[in-house]
Structures are given as structure tokens and as C-alpha cells.
């Protein structure tokens, strides 16, 4: 509505200006005609007066001549003003068109112009029976540049990136900045020769992985790039943009600093991911995510000494869903903290009445370890559930310590002050394990299951497990082996000096009812001990529970 009113007002203004211009032009033409007539008479009168024939110049004719000259000068000035106004208006319209179609920072097309120009290029490409490639680019870790160096350096970096991308594109390509650190490029190519597209994509990935000098700041980034192409099932710009976007996210999930062609399987994965995200938003408040318990066994005595708490999704229609189908989505969407706290609360409420010798281990995700209030949240949860801090063991992976070791030290220190134990999980898979053991007061080392499952067949795995076990002994840190799946692995671990372990050899992870039944069988529930302590009735025989591993 506002645009329509503005357009109407501009139209009226142009109409009035046009009428004024016509009137001014009419006056000037009339003045010119009068100037010719009066001028000739005045000149002849002057000549007659000089020759002594006439009686001098007529006063009225002189005045008329002067007025004609004034009107002509006015018309000339008005003509100059109109010319300047037209020039300024043309410049303003050009500027407005540029702002409407171009990104002011990089000079690339904007999202709207990409749709318009891309549609024309796509139609032209199809008429020529060629293919059209769309490349979607998203800069990796660009936010870090803004956070560390400021937005001015970030803008300078975007200009540098745009310049490099423009150099690497074919001359007929269309390039656009869609917003933030996201770019898109389109160009035609021979459908039978997709190597051209791959060459351009690889050149962009390789160049953007090199350092940039952005207004004096030395910065490093990389790019995740997705590629889509026009075919029988993708003949619109919107469809190509969507597919390139999906491929770009696939490249990002594959490790960044690479390109990926769109594949139909990516679309299915994206839909599954969206379904998982929606399910998380609905299921966490409804309590659909529940704790399961994996036994932790003393390899020397066979005694159960604790459980590792694992999350499962008890979906109302799909049944039990394993963590690998929802944990990554929860971390990427920022819902991992709510999910973890919800499952942990259920586990601690259940386990607070178990035998005091039974500990509960919980995993903390790398995302949670970035929260400076994590320690306070865990302590609050322990207070609300009444679970003893000394029976809780928090497991932290090596990879989660890389980004901010100082914050991790602060969180770990706060947890240790409350009596909570700490375990370094997946030991051996990182790059600075010894430094972490020295910097943080861990109570236990957990050997990653990738070494345990291959310990029989792979001498290198056996050597690594042996080295870690000896390291734990020298540091006074108990070592737990994950992934024990058969008796041969268990025996080999005993020979290497590993005294604690967990895995499917001792049973699959158990839901709350089955974990409770297992504890009752082993006389590790208060109710079970109370029933055994009651005096037996006449003729009644008390049968002690059979202790068995798993």
C-alpha cells in the first residue's frame, strides 16, 4: 500500500513537472519569435537614427526587446536546471536499482536478484540444452573472526572472500551474497563434463583454506560447499537453491573444508533430522527420553560396582531409538542440556535408594562443557534429587577439552569441591591426553572401546591398552575398559592388569525396572535386604540370591 501511494505521488509530481516544462518551453518559443520581430525593428530604427532619417528608437520596442532577451535567458537557465535535475534523477534511480539488486558490501547480487537473474540464466541454459550448476558456500567458523577481531575485520574478510570467489568463477557466472557469510554462484556447463564444476569447487575450497589479510588482520577460515545441478527433477531456482543448501550442510557435517554434490539420500537424511528435531522439542518435556543403565564390573571379583547412564528415546510410535539417531541433533540444536538434565534427573531419583556402593556415571557433552554454569546446575540437580555427590561420576571426553581448557578447569574444580568424581572418557583418541591428565584432577581413565574390541587380533591395540593401564597404575588412576563383548577380551584385559570394565558381555543396557530387578537379585536394594532380614515363618526356607556376572 505504501509503495502504491509513493508511486502515485511520484506520478503526479512527474505530470506537474511535465506541464510546467511545456509552459516554460512555450514562453521561450514565443519570446524567440518576438525577439526576431522586435529585434529587426529596433535595429532598423537605430540605423535610421544614425543616418538621420528616422526619429530614433521606439521606447516600447526597446522594452519589448529587453523582455524578450530576459525570457530567453530564463528559458536557457531553466533548461540547464532541468538537465541537471534529469541527470540527478537518473543517478538516484541507478543507485536505487543497485541497492535493490546488489549487496552493498561485496558488490555481488543479493538474494532477490539471484532468483531473478538465475531464472533467466536457467531458461537460457535449458534452451541451449546445457546444465546449470549452483554452488552454495558457507564460511566455516566465521563467527570466531567477528568475536576475536571485530565486525569491521569480518566485513573486510567478506570483501576478500568475494574477490577471490569472483576470480575463480567462469566469466559468465552469477555470484550472490545471500546474507551473513553465505554465498551462492551459478554458471552453465556441459552436462557430460561435470569435472568442470568440481574443478571450480575444489579451487574455491583450496583458496579459502589459505590465510587472508583482512585490513591487516591475519585470519584463517575454510568453506563448506554444496553443489546442485539442473535436471529433470530440478528445473527451478528454488529447487536448485534448496538442494545446494542441503549438500552444503552435508559437507559441513562431513568435517567442513570440502565440497559435496547433492544426492537424494541427503534429502532423506535432512527430513529424518527435521523429524528428530521436532521429536526432541515435543518429547523432552513429555519425558519420552529415559535412562538406561550399563553395568560396570570389577574384572577381578565379578562384583557390580556401578552403572553408566545412557539415554534412550522411548518413542510413542517408533519404539526404542538409540542415541546415535538423536544426540547429534540435540547438540546441534542446543537441546542437549535439557535432554541430559531430564534423563539424569530420572536416573538420580531412581538410584538414590540403591546400595551406597553403586555409583552412577553420566556423560557430559562438549556443548555442555561450554556452559560456565554447568557445575552449579549439576549441584542443584543433586540437591533436588537427594543423590549423594560422592556416588556420581562425570565423564568428560578428550575432544571436549580442546576449545576452552581454562573453562573446563573451572568447572572440574567446582565439581571436585562438591565430592563429585571425574573420568576422562575415550582415552587415547585425542591428541593431548597426558597434558589433560596433568591439568585436570581426574579420578579414572576410560579406554576407548575401539582399542578394546580389537585387542585380540591387533597387537597395536593390545600395546596401547597395556600402555594406558601402566600409565593409570603409575598415576594412581583406576582404568575402565569399554566395549568388552566376550570372555577372551575380558581374560586378555586381566592379563594386562585392567581391573574394571563394561560391555555387552555383562548384559545389554537395562531400563529402570530391569536394573532394579538386577540389584534386588544381588541384594543391593534396601527393600531386598529388609526382606532377607525379616524372621522366617515356620517351615519357610530362605533362598539366597545367586550371584552371577551379567
Amino acid at each position: 500500500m505504501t509503495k502504491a501511494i509513493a508511486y502515485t505521488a511520484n506520478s503526479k509530481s512527474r505530470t506537474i513537472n511535465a506541464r510546467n516544462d511545456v509552459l516554460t518551453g512555450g514562453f521561450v518559443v514565443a519570446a524567440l519569435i518576438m525577439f526576431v520581430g522586435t529585434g529587426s525593428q529596433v535595429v532598423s530604427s537605430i540605423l535610421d537614427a544614425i543616418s538621420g532619417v528616422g526619429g530614433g528608437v521606439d521606447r516600447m520596442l526597446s522594452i519589448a526587446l529587453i523582455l524578450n532577451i530576459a525570457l530567453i535567458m530564463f528559458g536557457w537557465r531553466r533548461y540547464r536546471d532541468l538537465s541537471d535535475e534529469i541527470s540527478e534523477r537518473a543517478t538516484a534511480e541507478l543507485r536505487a536499482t543497485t541497492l535493490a539488486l546488489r549487496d552493498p558490501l561485496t558488490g555481488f547480487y543479493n538474494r532477490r536478484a539471484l532468483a531473478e537473474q538465475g531464472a533467466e540464466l536457467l531458461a537460457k541454459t535449458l534452451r541451449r540444452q546445457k546444465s546449470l550448476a549452483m554452488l552454495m558456500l558457507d564460511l566455516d567458523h566465521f563467527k570466531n573472526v567477528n568475536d576475536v577481531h571485530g565486525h569491521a575485520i569480518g566485513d573486510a574478510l567478506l570483501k576478500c572472500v568475494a574477490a577471490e570467489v569472483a576470480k575463480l568463477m567462469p566469466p559468465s557466472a552469477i555470484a550472490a551474497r545471500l546474507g551473513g557469510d553465505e554465498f551462492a554462484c551459478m554458471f552453465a556447463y556441459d552436462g557430460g563434463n561435470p569435472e568442470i564444476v568440481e574443478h571450480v569447487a575444489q579451487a574455491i575450497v583450496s583458496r579459502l583454506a589459505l590465510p587472508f589479510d583482512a585490513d591487516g588482520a591475519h585470519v584463517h577460515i575454510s568453506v563448506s560447499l554444496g553443489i546442485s545441478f539442473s535436471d529433470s527433477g530440478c528445473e527451478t531456482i528454488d529447487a536448485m537453491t534448496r538442494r545446494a543448501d542441503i549438500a552444503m550442510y552435508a559437507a559441513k557435517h562431513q568435517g567442513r573444508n570440502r565440497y559435496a554434490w547433492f544426492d537424494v539420500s541427503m534429502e532423506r537424511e535432512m527430513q529424518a533430522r527435521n523429524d528428530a528435531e521436532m521429536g526432541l522439542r515435543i518429547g523432552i518435556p513429555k519425558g519420552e527420553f529415559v535412562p538406561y543403565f550399563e553395568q560396570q564390573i570389577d574384572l577381578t571379583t565379578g562384583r557390580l560396582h556401578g552403572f553408566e547412564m545412557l539415554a534412550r528415546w522411548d518413542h510413542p510410535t517408533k519404539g526404542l531409538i538409540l542415541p546415535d539417531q538423536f544426540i547429534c541433533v540435540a547438540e546441534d540444536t542446543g537441546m542437549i542440556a535439557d535432554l541430559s538434565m531430564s534423563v539424569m534427573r530420572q536416573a538420580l531419583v531412581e538410584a538414590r535408594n540403591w546400595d551406597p556402593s553403586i555409583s552412577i556415571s553420566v556423560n557430559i557433552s562438549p556443548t555442555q562443557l561450554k556452559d560456565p554454569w554447568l557445575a552449579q546446575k549439576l549441584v542443584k540437580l543433586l540437591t533436588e534429587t537427594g543423590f549423594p555427590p560422592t556416588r556420581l561420576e562425570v565423564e568428560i571426553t578428550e575432544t571436549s577439552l580442546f576449545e576452552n581448557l581454562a573453562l573446563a578447569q573451572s568447572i572440574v574444580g567446582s565439581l571436585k569441591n562438591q565430592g563429585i568424581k571425574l573420568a576422562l572418557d575415550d582415552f587415547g583418541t585425542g591428541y593431548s591426553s597426558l597434558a589433560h591428565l596433568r591439568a585436570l584432577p581426574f579420578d579414572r581413565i576410560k579406554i576407548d572401546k575401539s582399542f578394546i574390541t580389537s585387542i585380540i587380533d591387533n597387537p597395536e591395540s593390545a600395546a596401547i591398552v597395556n600402555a594406558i593401564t601402566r600409565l593409570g597404575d603409575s598415576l594412581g588412576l583406576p582404568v575402565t575398559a569399554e566395549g568388552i563383548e566376550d570372555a577372551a577380551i575380558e581374560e586378555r584385559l586381566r592379563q594386562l592388569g585392567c581391573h574394571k570394565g563394561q560391555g555387552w558381555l555383562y548384559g545389554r543396557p537395562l531400563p529402570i525396572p530391569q536394573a532394579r530387578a538386577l540389584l534386588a537379585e544381588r541384594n543391593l536394594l534396601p527393600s531386598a535386604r529388609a526382606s532377607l532380614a525379616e524372621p522366617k515363618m515356620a517351615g519357610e526356607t530362605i533362598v539366597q540370591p545367586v550371584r552371577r556376572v551379567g
Side-chain angles (χ1 to χ4, degrees):
M1 184 66 180
T2 304
K3 291 182 178 179
I5 293 173
Y7 177 79
T8 303
N10 290 335
S11 299
K12 290 181 178 179
S13 177
R14 293 193 187 99
T15 302
I16 293 172
N17 289 337
R19 290 174 180 173
N20 293 336
D21 294 343
V22 170
L23 290 175
T24 302
F27 283 131
V28 172
V29 171
L32 287 171
I33 295 173
M34 292 177 65
F35 173 77
V36 172
T38 56
S40 61
Q41 294 184 33
V42 170
V43 170
S44 62
S45 299
I46 292 174
L47 293 176
D48 290 342
I50 293 174
S51 61
V53 176
V57 180
D58 186 272
R59 180 181 177 85
M60 294 300 295
L61 287 177
S62 299
I63 294 173
L65 178 62
I66 293 172
L67 289 174
N68 289 338
I69 293 173
L71 283 173
I72 292 171
M73 293 179 65
F74 169 76
W76 174 251
R77 178 61 182 271
R78 179 59 178 164
Y79 168 76
R80 292 293 303 272
D81 290 344
L82 287 174
S83 299
D84 292 342
E85 182 179 349
I86 291 171
S87 177
E88 291 176 0
R89 183 178 299 172
T91 303
E93 289 178 354
L94 178 61
R95 187 182 302 113
T97 302
T98 301
L99 291 174
L101 299 178
R102 297 281 181 175
D103 169 49
L105 182 65
T106 63
F108 280 7
Y109 284 119
N110 57 24
R111 185 182 294 272
R112 172 190 170 189
L114 176 69
E116 297 173 356
Q117 300 295 323
E120 295 180 5
L121 180 59
L122 177 60
K124 185 186 299 183
T125 302
L126 294 177
R127 284 197 303 270
R128 295 177 178 177
Q129 296 184 342
K130 289 193 172 184
S131 295
L132 186 67
M134 173 173 279
L135 278 59
M136 189 73 67
L137 292 73
D138 187 81
L139 304 185
D140 301 325
H141 309 299
F142 177 74
K143 182 178 182 298
N144 293 343
V145 176
N146 282 334
D147 292 343
V148 174
H149 300 284
H151 289 274
I153 297 298
D155 289 346
L157 176 61
L158 291 175
K159 290 181 182 179
C160 295
V161 168
E164 294 299 326
V165 170
K167 291 178 185 177
L168 298 171
M169 282 289 140
S172 60
I174 294 175
R177 180 187 174 209
L178 304 183
D181 59 343
E182 193 172 17
F183 297 84
C185 305
M186 300 179 67
F187 58 89
Y189 71 99
D190 183 358
N193 189 19
E195 293 81 9
I196 297 175
V197 182
E198 293 188 347
H199 175 74
V200 173
Q202 184 58 56
I204 293 175
V205 170
S206 299
R207 172 60 191 94
L208 298 192
L210 298 176
F212 282 90
D213 183 0
D215 280 356
H218 199 66
V219 294
H220 289 263
I221 57 168
S222 58
V223 67
S224 298
L225 191 153
I227 309 172
S228 67
F229 56 94
S230 58
D231 59 13
S232 58
C234 186
E235 296 180 346
T236 66
I237 293 299
D238 287 342
M240 290 187 66
T241 302
R242 179 174 176 275
R243 290 187 171 187
D245 201 50
I246 292 173
M248 181 267 291
Y249 277 106
K252 195 174 288 289
H253 291 146
Q254 291 168 10
R256 307 174 191 268
N257 191 30
R258 68 192 64 212
Y259 69 87
W261 284 88
F262 171 81
D263 185 81
V264 177
S265 62
M266 295 179 182
E267 196 165 19
R268 290 195 295 266
E269 291 174 4
M270 180 68 72
Q271 184 59 51
R273 181 181 178 84
N274 291 338
D275 292 344
E277 180 179 347
M278 185 61 65
L280 283 164
R281 298 190 185 280
I282 296 173
I284 293 175
K286 293 175 65 175
E288 294 178 3
F289 294 86
V290 296
Y292 269 55
F293 299 91
E294 183 174 9
Q295 300 175 58
Q296 296 176 327
I297 302 297
D298 188 314
L299 300 184
T300 304
T301 65
R303 184 181 66 86
L304 172 68
H305 67 84
F307 292 96
E308 179 179 351
M309 186 205 76
L310 306 172
R312 296 289 186 268
W313 187 356
D314 189 7
H315 197 280
T317 58
K318 298 179 181 179
L320 200 65
I321 299 178
L322 298 179
D324 58 354
Q325 299 184 45
F326 62 83
I327 289 295
C328 289
V329 179
E331 289 180 339
D332 292 343
T333 56
M335 290 186 279
I336 187 63
D338 291 338
L339 170 62
S340 178
M341 288 297 178
S342 173
V343 177
M344 200 183 306
R345 179 181 295 275
Q346 299 173 60
L348 297 183
V349 168
E350 168 61 30
R352 65 188 173 190
N353 294 322
W354 294 352
D355 190 272
S357 65
I358 301 299
S359 63
I360 298 296
S361 300
V362 296
N363 288 285
I364 296 298
S365 78
T367 304
Q368 289 177 277
L369 204 60
K370 297 176 184 178
D371 181 5
W373 298 100
L374 175 62
Q376 288 82 347
K377 291 177 181 178
L378 289 175
V379 172
K380 181 174 182 288
L381 183 61
L382 290 172
T383 302
E384 292 174 350
T385 59
F387 190 83
T390 54
R391 291 175 53 200
L392 180 65
E393 184 175 79
V394 173
E395 298 183 4
I396 300 173
T397 61
E398 284 188 283
T399 53
S400 65
L401 302 174
F402 292 152
E403 290 191 15
N404 195 335
L405 183 58
L407 178 58
Q409 287 176 316
S410 174
I411 293 173
V412 166
S414 298
L415 295 176
K416 288 286 289 184
N417 290 338
Q418 298 297 323
I420 298 171
K421 296 182 177 62
L422 294 158
L424 183 58
D425 198 12
D426 297 341
F427 189 82
T429 59
Y431 299 97
S432 56
S433 304
L434 297 179
H436 290 152
L437 287 176
R438 183 178 61 180
L440 298 169
F442 287 105
D443 300 287
R444 180 182 300 277
I445 299 173
K446 299 191 72 175
I447 308 176
D448 186 69
K449 63 181 180 181
S450 61
F451 301 115
I452 304 301
T453 54
S454 59
I455 194 174
I456 302 297
D457 304 321
N458 191 328
E460 293 180 356
S461 296
I464 291 173
V465 173
N466 183 46
I468 295 175
T469 302
R470 292 180 180 276
L471 175 65
D473 289 339
S474 64
L475 296 176
L477 295 177
V479 176
T480 298
E482 297 182 289
I484 302 176
E485 297 182 353
D486 57 51
I489 292 177
E490 182 187 51
E491 180 59 31
R492 182 67 174 132
L493 288 169
R494 286 200 194 97
Q495 294 172 1
L496 293 175
C498 184
H499 304 298
K500 298 184 184 296
Q502 63 186 80
W504 286 3
L505 174 62
Y506 313 110
R508 297 294 181 96
L510 305 172
I512 287 178
Q514 294 182 24
R516 189 183 301 157
L518 175 67
L519 292 170
E521 178 185 334
R522 300 190 180 193
N523 194 25
L524 294 173
L525 285 181
S527 58
R529 291 197 299 271
S531 63
L532 290 174
E534 292 177 357
K536 62 181 180 180
M537 303 294 291
E540 177 181 316
T541 302
I542 297 177
V543 180
Q544 295 289 345
V546 178
R547 294 179 179 269
R548 67 172 184 269
V549 177

